[in-house]
Amino acid sequence: MPRSGHQRLVGRDRELAVLRSAFEATAAGRGAFLVFHGQFGSGKSLLLHTAAEEAERRGMAVSSARVARLDRHSAMAPLLAVLRAGPRPVINPVQAESLAALADRPTHWGRLIDLLRRLIEQRAAHSPMVIVLDDLQWADELTVAALETLLPRLADAPALWLASYADFPVARPARGALDRLLTSHAEVVRLSPVDEAAAAELGARLLGCARPEDVRRLTSAAGGSPFLVDCLVQLLREEGRVRSEEDGTVRVVGRHLPAGLGRATAPVVSGLSQQTHDLLQVGAVLGRQFSLRQAAALTGRSTMELATAAQEAAAAGLLEDDGVAFRHRSPLVHLAVYGSLLGPVRRALHSEAARLCVSEGRPCPETLAHLILAGAEEDLEEGVARLKWLERNDESVPTREQEELARALLERLRLYEPLSAAPVTTAVQLFLTAGRTAEARHLLDAALAAAGWETEAEAEAFAELLEVLLQLSGARHALRHLRRARKGARPPVSHQAWLMVLEARCLLAYSAGDPGRAAALSWTAVSLARRAGDQASVVLGTAVLSLCARHTGDIAESLRLAGEAVAHGPVDTQRSLGWGSLWLSLTLCLAGRPLDAAEVLEAWRDGAGAGDRVWTAPRWHIAKSLQLWHSGRLEEAAREAHAGLEASARLADPAARTFLLGVLALVTTVRGDLETAAGHVAALSSTAHTALPGLTGTLYAFVTALRLDAAGDPGSAMRQLGTVWSALDLHLWFLTADPMILPHMVRIALRAGAGERAAEAVAVARRLARRNPGVTPLVGAALHAHGLYRGLAAPLHRAVRVFRTGSHPLALASALEDAAAVTQAQGDLVRATEMLQEAQRVYVASGAGLGAERVRRRLRSAQGRISEAAATDGVQALPGSPAPAARPAAQDPAHTSADWDSLTPSEIRVVRLVAEGLTNRETAQRLAVSAHTVDSHLRRAFAKLGVSRRVELARYVLAHGTSGQVPAHSPK
């Protein structure tokens, strides 16, 4: 046999033997009609092509034609077309037109057949001939009738007729005539799917010297269909995924099937009836295997109505009958049909399929997979309910099913979405919401273990799953998966930067004491991303570099890099699930720019989709609560932290929970609620073993020390900070997080009599300030710590001036308080009292009850001394100073007209609208200004009036309703 067509013809030795016998008989002068019968993709056309090549090699005249679907509407068009084909045709174009005219006249039928017989005999007299008709099932009735008449008359002519046909479509006008023709005059050779060995041989021939595992993956997807194997190789080549290695071998890049699978099944699917289309699509949603009863339940039709459709799909070679149910012939066919469904239709069918599974008592993984792929909120709620039911009724569910739930669910999801990360991510969310954290991690780990990253689609899914794993504090496991994947192959250039940034984040999270490796990897990632035009990875890589610089104490460089990242544009929240925006906002807060941080957070929230918000919620609340803390809005910070705790509970996110508990412990301590703070510290200590290395211990130590110091036990506070004191340089990332941390540590050390420790903290603060002279919070913190340690008024007064230029009210109030203490010790009671009054106003406006109460006591003491000095020396007391026993000014508006008169016209406009019950945003809209402007005016008004709540503000407005009238603002 010739080798060009035979190159792809495998597993057909029997059929080739039959062809050789037919050629020999034809050469001996005997005619025959040989028909190959098989399903779609069984290799019928390839076999005919190979036969035509062999006939030409033997010197026979060959005429070939493929019958098209439309030919069934043209009288004798297939027969006349094949007789005109080939280098030595039986009829010429003029004869073809004459014969076509006769075909339209039934009275000339006999004459037509006689003419055709004579013409074929004349041509065969010169040399034996082979006439090939492919897809004979589409022939019109006259062609079939003509063949039925001609073949017996040409039995002694050296003419071999070769044809192929399939049992598809089931119902057609010429079916009966074709059956009679085949029964009476044809030798029918039935083609079955090739066996596994033959399919592997075909795959190896098409790919070249390929790896056995690549060939096996290819042939198993095609289900033994030579046509589908051929299509798969073509599609893979078009995607550039068949690559030659230096050693001469050929490798298929990526483990997933190529896109465009619909092209492989289009030749047969396009000829299906609408009812068969519907059956196949519903069956694709039900899975690789389904029953007619299930399909009937989803389509609303009876099983009898679907029986014909099922028969047609089986005849077309798309479905197989396994004796119990129908099965898609191969994974390729299943995915091709499933991919043809529109998204909304697919999701609706999955939702219906889930209800069907519940009513039939199908295994839980099958039901959950349908609910996940349906994706609607009510479907996901039902999925959580099913998981909780499974936990409550574990005795009624087989133990094996419970143990393998995550694995079975992953396998089920991969039937439909073999590559996408979205279904796995949703499944993880479902498990977490149902409180099944271990299974969520197992599912994610199994998905990553089976994932590759050789193609762009694989790398995208791999990175998305890693992002989710990092959200669940899985830095160590993420590093393991990254290193495992790297051993196999290199990721595509388009995703190398993103994956490098992910590895740098893992290194930074898992080994925070060694940021050098993470920084080196991030620099490489940013360089790669710039060359590849990957703007999102440039931003994320720059954010990691900013964080690395912060870990080393180079805060100026950290701020520069953060500004560079912000300048590049908003962070892609889908890339990092909000991680980049979180750290950028925290860095901006450190720089004393909480309003800029608020803008980053708003852009983060606006840019996140509904699904992303679920994952980003805990991180967003962390960042927002810290931004509010730096802005001196403690009550709102506490609300955000509580909301974040609820979100982290839904996702079982221990790292976020730890951080938020630390924030709450800090905020409640500063607000003066020490009992609640103790509860948060206790909860924080109980989660210490589940969170990130370094972060938990440091947070726990500091907030506990703060609470103990507030309770009057600085010695215990010092012991809590022992780990931090022993390695201050390893905790620079924490010590620079807030300008009050180092002064607080100095204060605790001095109260505990640990002067050496206080000196160490001062040295670190001053070193950080010298290294970062342009970072206002660090400069202020160094002056504050130094003045506090030395008891010097000058550096403390300078710290106050520095903090007045920034945006951290609590740091300003703390510096004022300590400056007042030193100033008072030097005998300047009046200036000390003024500082304490300013500190109290800031504390009250921020809701810092602990500091406000402490300053209130000091004020009473200072003002008492001023009164005594005035009485002794005959000097008037400090103007505006209340008597020591008087209640705070904020409680009596009648005595605070001076404070009210200190408000600017803009502040009065804002105050009046807020007192009417408008929100900050509504006030901004009314006055045609930004929300940040309103927020700034309101905070200044709170500080000037010495109030902390809007109710107190409303009392001021009522008390001074006729004073200081300012006309309402009218936008231009």
Side-chain angles (χ1 to χ4, degrees):
M1 301 292 287
R3 291 294 175 260
S4 58
H6 191 57
Q7 173 76 16
R8 297 181 296 154
L9 193 62
V10 296
R12 297 301 182 197
D13 295 339
R14 179 179 65 89
E15 291 81 0
L16 291 174
V18 172
L19 277 171
R20 280 192 293 268
S21 298
F23 287 142
E24 291 170 359
T26 303
R30 295 190 303 273
F33 183 28
L34 187 59
V35 179
F36 296 102
H37 171 215
Q39 292 181 333
F40 160 72
S42 58
K44 303 184 298 297
S45 298
L46 180 60
L47 194 59
L48 292 179
H49 178 70
T50 304
E53 289 182 336
E54 172 68 5
E56 289 177 348
R57 191 181 69 83
R58 290 173 180 257
M60 297 178 175
V62 178
S63 296
S64 298
R66 166 166 283 183
V67 185
R69 288 183 175 87
L70 294 179
D71 287 340
R72 56 186 169 178
H73 304 297
S74 301
M76 291 189 66
L79 182 57
L80 297 177
V82 74
L83 294 177
R84 285 180 55 186
R88 292 176 284 178
V90 175
I91 59 176
N92 58 41
V94 176
Q95 291 172 322
E97 289 184 12
S98 300
L99 292 171
L102 290 176
D104 288 332
R105 301 174 184 176
T107 56
H108 293 74
W109 175 256
R111 181 185 173 192
L112 174 63
I113 295 299
D114 192 52
L115 282 172
L116 288 173
R117 179 185 60 78
R118 288 203 307 269
L119 289 169
I120 293 172
E121 287 176 339
Q122 289 172 6
R123 185 68 196 81
H126 290 85
S127 66
M129 66 179 303
V130 176
I131 303 170
V132 181
L133 276 169
D134 198 3
D135 286 340
L136 188 58
Q137 72 272 10
W138 298 113
D140 63 291
E141 290 185 271
L142 285 180
T143 295
V144 174
L147 289 173
E148 191 174 5
T149 306
L150 280 170
L151 287 171
R153 299 181 185 184
L154 294 170
D156 295 328
L160 174 60
W161 296 76
L162 297 178
S164 70
Y165 90 101
D167 294 325
F168 170 76
V170 174
R172 57 183 182 274
R175 178 59 186 266
L178 181 58
D179 289 343
R180 289 193 305 272
L181 171 67
L182 298 178
T183 302
S184 303
H185 305 290
E187 179 186 355
V188 178
V189 180
R190 299 188 181 278
L191 302 182
S192 59
V194 297
D195 59 25
E196 186 175 338
E201 182 183 352
L202 174 60
R205 289 182 182 182
L206 294 173
L207 287 172
C209 189
R211 299 181 301 179
E213 58 269 26
D214 289 340
V215 174
R216 282 195 300 271
R217 191 162 59 246
L218 190 73
T219 54
S220 64
S225 167
F227 174 79
L228 293 180
V229 172
D230 195 2
C231 283
L232 274 177
V233 173
Q234 289 184 38
L235 291 171
L236 288 169
R237 289 189 185 280
E238 289 176 9
E239 290 186 1
R241 290 174 53 191
V242 180
R243 299 180 187 173
S244 299
E245 300 294 307
E246 293 180 357
D247 59 1
T249 60
V250 174
R251 186 167 60 89
V252 176
V253 178
R255 306 177 186 180
H256 58 96
L257 291 174
L261 294 178
R263 288 165 52 189
T265 57
V268 65
V269 170
S270 59
L272 296 173
S273 66
Q274 185 59 49
Q275 191 163 326
T276 306
H277 266 287
D278 296 344
L279 173 66
L280 286 172
Q281 290 181 334
V282 167
V285 169
L286 288 169
R288 286 286 307 278
Q289 187 179 30
F290 65 94
S291 67
L292 273 187
R293 184 177 54 78
Q294 291 173 323
L298 259 64
T299 59
R301 297 171 181 168
S302 68
T303 53
M304 287 302 296
E305 287 181 278
L306 295 178
T308 302
Q311 186 180 358
E312 184 178 45
L318 299 175
L319 293 181
E320 295 176 339
D321 179 4
D322 63 5
V324 178
F326 287 101
R327 178 188 299 274
H328 289 90
R329 181 174 177 181
S330 68
L332 186 153
V333 171
H334 175 243
L335 290 174
V337 175
Y338 184 76
S340 69
L341 282 164
L342 295 175
V345 176
R346 185 168 59 240
R347 289 190 289 272
L349 286 174
H350 274 299
S351 183
E352 293 298 320
R355 273 96 187 132
L356 180 64
C357 288
V358 172
S359 66
E360 292 185 347
R362 305 286 296 173
C364 189
E366 187 175 346
T367 305
L368 286 175
H370 285 304
L371 291 170
I372 289 167
L373 293 168
E377 186 175 349
E378 59 269 21
D379 294 309
L380 299 182
E381 290 175 356
E382 174 65 19
V384 173
R386 294 297 301 172
L387 285 172
K388 290 182 177 178
W389 177 90
L390 191 66
E391 188 171 359
R392 292 193 304 269
N393 299 272
D394 55 350
E395 296 180 357
S396 62
V397 180
T399 304
R400 183 177 179 82
E401 182 177 329
Q402 292 190 60
E403 292 176 349
E404 299 186 358
L405 177 60
R407 180 194 59 78
L409 177 57
L410 179 62
E411 290 180 359
R412 193 77 191 178
L413 291 173
R414 288 313 189 209
L415 285 179
Y416 304 97
E417 300 281 357
L419 188 61
S420 173
V424 176
T425 301
T426 305
V428 169
Q429 180 187 335
L430 237 62
F431 278 121
L432 293 175
T433 306
R436 302 172 76 106
T437 307
E439 286 161 318
R441 292 179 181 276
H442 178 68
L443 175 69
L444 194 55
D445 193 64
L448 278 164
W453 65 6
E454 290 186 279
T455 67
E456 291 188 5
E458 283 183 336
E460 186 89 14
F462 186 87
E464 288 175 4
L465 292 174
L466 277 182
E467 290 284 5
V468 175
L469 186 57
L470 283 173
Q471 287 289 111
L472 301 181
S473 309
R476 180 169 61 88
H477 296 294
L479 270 176
R480 173 170 56 85
H481 287 297
L482 280 164
R483 289 165 180 168
R484 185 266 310 163
R486 192 184 298 111
K487 291 178 182 178
R490 289 172 61 86
V493 175
S494 59
H495 286 69
Q496 285 179 8
W498 185 8
L499 291 164
M500 282 185 178
V501 170
L502 282 169
E503 186 171 359
R505 286 173 53 194
C506 292
L507 289 170
L508 203 56
Y510 188 57
S511 55
D514 183 18
R517 292 164 60 200
L521 203 58
S522 297
W523 279 118
T524 305
V526 170
S527 177
L528 279 174
R530 284 177 176 150
R531 288 200 298 269
D534 183 359
Q535 192 69 7
S537 293
V538 171
V539 175
L540 287 175
T542 307
V544 176
L545 287 170
S546 172
L547 186 56
C548 291
R550 176 178 167 184
H551 275 259
T552 62
D554 193 350
I555 308 304
E557 177 66 4
S558 177
L559 293 174
R560 185 192 71 77
L561 289 166
E564 185 178 319
V566 173
H568 280 303
V571 178
D572 186 347
T573 57
Q574 294 181 345
R575 273 277 175 105
S576 63
L577 296 180
W579 178 90
S581 297
L582 166 67
W583 287 113
L584 288 177
S585 66
L586 294 181
T587 304
L588 290 170
C589 286
L590 171 61
R593 296 161 57 188
L595 294 183
D596 291 338
E599 291 181 2
V600 170
L601 293 177
E602 289 304 317
W604 172 8
R605 168 152 288 189
D606 293 342
D612 297 323
R613 288 195 190 100
V614 174
W615 289 106
T616 61
R619 263 60 179 175
W620 193 90
H621 288 298
I622 286 175
K624 188 62 179 175
S625 62
L626 291 175
Q627 183 263 326
L628 292 168
W629 159 268
H630 280 270
S631 301
R633 296 155 64 181
L634 301 187
E635 185 177 356
E636 295 170 76
R639 282 200 301 268
E640 289 292 345
H642 279 295
L645 278 180
E646 295 176 2
S648 61
R650 288 194 295 271
L651 289 178
D653 186 344
R657 171 180 164 78
T658 299
F659 210 115
L660 288 159
L661 283 171
V663 172
L664 277 173
L666 181 66
V667 170
T668 49
T669 298
V670 173
R671 295 184 71 188
D673 191 351
L674 299 184
E675 185 177 349
T676 302
H680 292 315
V681 170
L684 182 64
S685 65
S686 69
T687 62
H689 64 285
T690 61
L692 298 176
L695 177 60
T696 302
T698 308
L699 271 177
Y700 175 70
F702 183 75
V703 297
T704 304
L706 198 65
R707 184 182 62 83
L708 289 170
D709 181 59
D713 189 358
S716 297
M718 279 295 296
R719 287 191 292 274
Q720 281 292 335
L721 289 171
T723 304
V724 181
W725 284 120
S726 64
L728 288 174
D729 287 341
L730 295 181
H731 293 83
L732 295 180
W733 57 272
F734 177 75
L735 299 177
T736 57
D738 190 282
M740 293 195 299
I741 292 177
L742 281 166
H744 267 306
M745 292 181 66
V746 170
R747 186 180 296 108
I748 291 171
L750 291 175
R751 288 174 180 169
E756 292 182 1
R757 291 297 193 190
E760 291 173 6
V762 172
V764 169
R766 299 185 74 180
R767 187 169 72 248
L768 286 170
R770 285 194 300 271
R771 189 175 181 183
N772 305 278
V775 183
T776 300
L778 292 183
V779 173
L783 291 168
H784 189 175
H786 176 62
L788 186 62
Y789 173 65
R790 294 293 184 184
L792 300 175
L796 287 170
H797 291 162
R798 288 177 59 199
V800 168
R801 289 195 295 272
V802 168
F803 283 131
R804 279 198 177 115
T805 65
S807 301
H808 200 310
L810 293 177
L812 171 61
S814 179
L816 282 166
E817 187 178 355
D818 288 329
V822 175
T823 302
Q824 182 175 334
Q826 293 177 347
D828 192 346
L829 292 178
V830 173
R831 189 177 182 186
T833 302
E834 290 173 345
M835 290 181 178
L836 288 174
Q837 287 174 336
E838 183 180 355
Q840 185 185 32
R841 285 196 296 270
V842 175
Y843 279 139
V844 170
S846 300
L850 187 67
E853 180 59 33
R854 185 176 57 247
V855 170
R856 188 175 292 114
R857 290 194 300 269
R858 291 182 177 180
L859 267 175
R860 288 173 180 167
S861 174
Q863 289 165 353
R865 292 182 184 180
I866 291 174
S867 299
E868 291 174 3
T872 303
D873 302 333
V875 179
Q876 186 178 2
L878 183 71
S881 300
R887 60 183 178 181
Q891 298 181 8
D892 188 1
H895 296 290
T896 56
S897 58
D899 290 340
W900 176 262
D901 292 339
S902 69
L903 297 179
T904 66
S906 296
E907 290 167 351
I908 292 175
R909 291 191 189 96
V910 169
V911 163
R912 284 181 174 160
L913 291 175
V914 169
E916 292 175 10
L918 273 66
T919 65
N920 288 14
R921 190 176 297 276
E922 291 168 343
T923 302
Q925 292 174 349
R926 181 78 65 85
L927 296 176
V929 297
S930 70
H932 294 315
T933 300
V934 170
D935 182 68
S936 177
H937 286 326
L938 197 57
R939 283 192 284 110
R940 284 198 294 269
F942 272 30
K944 289 178 180 180
L945 299 177
V947 299
S948 60
R949 295 184 302 167
R950 296 184 180 230
V951 172
E952 297 174 272
L953 193 66
R955 291 175 184 160
Y956 264 100
V957 173
L958 290 174
H960 300 277
T962 58
S963 64
Q965 295 291 333
V966 177
H969 180 77
S970 177
K972 294 182 182 179

